Amino acid sequence: MAITIKDVAKAAKVAPSTVSRVIADHPRISEDTKKRVRKAMKELGYHPNVNARSLANRSTQALGIVMKSSADKALQNPFFPEVLRGISSVAHQLDYSLYISTGETDEEVYEGVQRMVHGNRVDGIILLYSRVDDPVANYLLEKDFPFVLIGKPHGNMDKVTHVDNDNVSASRDITNLLIDEGHERIAFIGGDTDLVVTLDRMQGYELALQESELPIKEDYYIHAEFLKSGGREAVHQLFQLNEPPTGLVIADDLMSIGVITMLEEFGIRVPEDVSIVSFNNVYLSEITRPPLTTIDIQIYELGNQAAKCVIDKVCNKEEPAKRIIVPYHVMDRSSTKDIKGASKK
């Protein structure tokens, strides 16, 4: 015989309507009651009929995850699995499933988001990137659909809930680490210039140079995808210069690993010949040789906070837009050399 809401209500000593509210995770139900009802549901083996609930309250209990185009390449970067782990931990606790959009082109990503919204496939959406003039973010704003952005919005700062690090400040700090070690010729290798995170990290790099009255050289900028292949192409140009840099600020750990590999092919050693600092602190940064000095942006926490924010927005459409800044830490390892002194071990 099928277990019903009435059976759960009887076991938990509450009204059937209370069981329904617990299933919907209603904020007005106390945690004690929720625990008691969930315990009864588990013991009786009761599973809510998600489809029936969806028809009743238009809820899908699913969150959409949107990456920038080329999802297959994006998933090669350890940032994405780690941010998904942070999102999943919250989604799992609150009984939400994840629906991942995997467009290869910008157009496919946009169409995928439209299908999510029009097809009532998800209750809310998390964008795992922030792009300059992003049609996806603009579309979601226009539709007044609950969404959260990981990164800093390019516009509409006060309208878009976002979870970010202070990337300008982080980049300034990590560039100053090189300056404090005596480096004056410092280059910047960044990702796409239409990604807000690239622009912020570039701005922090420039601030540090300006404050130390060091020149900002046009030929010390390289922009490529946040990927190994992009890193490799970038290096060749830099080290052909008459005055090659002694320090590199690289906007992503995965790209840094590609740069180190290419430098080895050129016979250039890190940190003996050139120092490298980076961002993200993905797990590879600690086990690569040499271990990378990088900014820990707390990727898991970015995902965790984004999931909480989007579920808040789903449960309360009137929830005002908010900005959550996750702290960063400098992980000072072995990829830099104090050229006023000796290399760090």
Side-chain angles (χ1 to χ4, degrees):
M1 199 175 82
I3 303 293
T4 67
I5 277 185
K6 284 180 181 171
D7 299 322
V8 175
K10 195 173 171 185
K13 297 185 172 62
V14 295
S17 59
T18 303
V19 177
S20 298
R21 288 196 181 101
V22 170
I23 292 166
D25 203 30
H26 198 287
R28 288 199 183 145
I29 303 293
S30 74
E31 282 306 312
D32 283 349
T33 304
K34 284 180 184 174
K35 278 180 189 163
R36 198 161 78 245
V37 170
R38 284 173 186 151
K39 185 167 179 269
M41 283 164 64
K42 196 172 180 181
E43 285 170 356
L44 293 170
Y46 176 76
H47 297 285
N49 182 334
V50 174
N51 291 338
R53 276 165 54 213
S54 296
L55 291 171
N57 63 12
R58 306 290 292 164
S59 167
T60 61
Q61 286 295 111
L63 301 175
I65 308 293
V66 181
M67 301 183 196
K68 65 190 185 77
S69 53
S70 304
D72 60 332
K73 285 184 186 171
L75 284 165
Q76 292 169 20
N77 190 326
F79 171 88
F80 292 102
E82 183 64 1
V83 84
L84 285 172
R85 203 170 69 84
I87 293 167
S88 299
S89 68
V90 174
H92 178 71
Q93 283 167 15
L94 298 174
D95 213 17
Y96 278 84
S97 53
L98 301 181
Y99 183 107
I100 299 178
S101 157
T102 53
E104 281 307 297
T105 63
D106 291 349
E107 203 171 308
E108 282 179 16
V109 171
Y110 186 76
E111 286 167 4
V113 169
Q114 282 184 314
R115 281 196 299 275
M116 279 190 204
V117 173
H118 286 301
N120 193 36
R121 295 180 183 186
V122 297
D123 293 340
I125 286 175
I126 299 173
L127 301 184
L128 299 188
Y129 65 91
S130 175
R131 187 166 252 154
V132 175
D133 297 325
D134 182 27
V136 170
N138 293 339
Y139 168 78
L140 292 171
L141 268 175
E142 192 187 304
K143 292 288 174 192
D144 197 22
F145 193 81
F147 81 102
V148 168
L149 192 137
I150 293 182
K152 187 172 85 179
H154 179 241
N156 297 303
M157 283 276 286
D158 54 339
K159 291 183 187 169
V160 177
T161 291
H162 57 289
V163 180
D164 196 19
N165 313 101
D166 184 342
N167 280 296
V168 175
S169 189
S171 184
R172 184 184 180 190
D173 285 355
I174 203 87
T175 306
N176 275 327
L177 186 144
L178 288 176
I179 294 168
D180 293 344
E181 293 187 349
H183 295 272
E184 294 182 356
R185 301 201 309 271
I186 302 169
F188 179 87
I189 300 180
D192 294 353
T193 46
D194 69 340
L195 290 178
V196 176
V197 66
T198 304
L199 301 178
D200 278 359
R201 289 174 180 173
M202 193 163 71
Q203 190 187 339
Y205 155 81
E206 290 171 355
L207 268 175
L209 293 182
Q210 283 165 0
E211 286 163 2
S212 293
E213 297 181 349
L214 292 173
I216 295 172
K217 298 185 178 184
E218 270 303 307
D219 46 10
Y220 275 9
Y221 287 97
I222 304 285
H223 289 291
E225 286 286 336
F226 278 108
L227 283 173
K228 267 190 174 182
S229 55
R232 286 198 164 94
E233 289 156 20
V235 174
H236 190 70
Q237 299 173 44
L238 268 185
F239 287 88
Q240 298 302 308
L241 297 171
N242 291 332
E243 284 194 321
T246 62
L248 302 177
V249 176
I250 305 181
D252 174 79
D253 288 339
L254 198 63
M255 190 184 263
S256 296
I257 293 164
V259 170
I260 290 170
T261 305
M262 182 113 173
L263 288 170
E264 280 173 0
E265 289 165 16
F266 290 167
I268 298 168
R269 296 162 305 160
V270 178
E272 291 82 1
D273 304 318
V274 65
S275 291
I276 287 179
V277 294
S278 186
F279 294 84
N280 291 4
N281 194 36
V282 301
Y283 63 87
L284 288 173
S285 64
E286 204 169 354
I287 58 172
T288 190
R289 286 288 164 263
L292 285 175
T293 290
T294 184
I295 294 282
D296 181 2
I297 60 169
Q298 300 200 67
I299 303 169
Y300 177 91
E301 189 60 19
L302 288 169
N304 207 279
Q305 291 293 337
K308 286 175 182 169
C309 285
V310 80
I311 290 168
D312 282 350
K313 287 188 83 68
V314 165
C315 293
N316 176 16
K317 282 276 182 121
E318 303 309 308
E319 179 81 17
K322 58 187 172 218
R323 175 187 187 210
I324 292 178
I325 299 296
V326 172
Y328 64 85
H329 310 286
V330 175
M331 308 300 290
D332 195 352
R333 296 195 183 110
S334 314
S335 59
T336 70
K337 177 182 176 180
D338 189 332
I339 57 177
K340 296 180 303 200
S343 170
K344 282 180 290 190
K345 297 290 174 266

